Amino acid sequence: MIPLTVAEITEITGAAADPGTDPGAVASGPVVIDSRQARPGSLFAALPGSRADGHDFAPLAAAAGAVAILASRPAGVPALIVPDVPAALAALARAVTSRLPDLTIAAITGSAGKTTTKDLTAQLAESLGATVSPQNSYNNEIGHPLTVLRVTSQTRYLIAEMSARGPGHIAALCAMSPPRLGAVLCVGHAHAGVFGSIDDVARAKAELPAALPADGVAVLNADDPRVLAMAGQTAARVVTFGRSPGADIRASGVEVDGSGRPSFTLVTRDGSVPVRLRLHGEHNVANALAAAALAGQLGMDVAAIGEGLSAATARSRWRMEVTRRPDRVTVINDAYNANPEAMAAALATLAAMAGGGRAFAVLGYMTELGAEAERLHEQAGRQAAGAGLAGLVVVGEEAAPMLDGAKADPSWHGELVQVPDAAAAVAAVQERVRPGDVVLVKASRAADLQRVALALTGEVAL
Ligand SMILES: Nc1ncnc2c1ncn2[C@@H]1O[C@H](COP(=O)(O)OP(=O)(O)O)[C@@H](O)[C@H]1O
Ligand SMILES: [Mg+2]
């Protein structure tokens, strides 16, 4: 963080400073919301959590050296009292970015692939200069300002992930850290139930291109009509990516090897270069193209982009994470999140990785699909049938329509298993798998199939 005095923080956030706070003390970061991460120089933000209230931990943060405490009520130690702590973090983020005119901010949004694209783009940007990017999916009104506040005067690039669960969210994130570059990956069904419809999702994602300045660049997916239409809603120059022949940045000759890793030729207006991704799944080609487009706009040449993409690794865990067990069973842990588009991508990768061998999928429910939930779960079942599985293990009642979908597909010839919980899912898989088999585990985070994947890889006992 760029150093700020307590007096500056008070002014920026409009706080009422408790007696006993030292206006001259300097907070140099990190900004933390967990008292266990507080260090000398920290700014501790007390947030009400679902299980614990940060205010109760303010004394611990102060004891650990936090120079300033942002709180919305008396916290047992002298604090800067604001009506709304997240809004205070947003104000600080805005103040910090406005003091750093040489910082280039690139933001990434979309229904699927944000974290992967953010991680790829950050790995490319790091070869150009000091880069800050969020841990995992720090992409909302709390995680985003915490990420922005990690920026220092040395940072050249901020590669941000922006998520929306309602209208105005992305616009608010853009206001905190005005991006010059913005990429929209795709508009899908993720959170469609919360928004109302997929068109509402599109409107929310369009807030990113709409926030870009005239000297900025909107990176848009040429293969997704809802995204491409956002070209009309931005003042920025438009650069497109995708498989479409007209895309500015495109992939040709895409091939997926036996471990599900795509290779392709990255074709740009400035030349072409071979890329062999270390990530699993053909869907990552689109993510790599978006990262390439952003890096190109940061000034990276095509050869360096090709090398960088081929060297980049999956930084955030549990996205198509592949483990080969000693008994030669392969487990794909994609249990971080799920939505219909991601489900289709994961099943296609599973089929590619199984080759002619046996594939199993352990699938749980996808959250927040609203009125379309049943139809979309059935569709996932049909896609599982299309993947030619030896067995489909469906976990929990909410996911049961997947079984109907698979059964209804005339090509289905595998075994259908319905289990109530994670432990039963692990048992069902262990009973069936043989050396050479591939097992995919996927569901929304709330379905908690992470435990299934980790038990299957032996990382945790269930
Ligand atoms: N371009 C894509 N199209 C469809 N599914 C994708 C794509 N990129 C990623 N996914 C799926 O979404 C899951 C989450 O990926 P992630 O990069 O974390 O996205 P996000 O941050 O948007 O949730 C992945 O495990 C994968 O199954
Ligand atoms: Mg994410």
Side-chain angles (χ1 to χ4, degrees), residues 111-116 137 161 283 287 319 334 341-342 345 442:
S111 296
K114 295 181 292 298
T115 296
T116 305
S137 282
E161 169 174 344
H283 57 277
N287 299 335
R319 290 152 179 93
D334 198 29
E341 290 74 23
K442 187 159 184 73

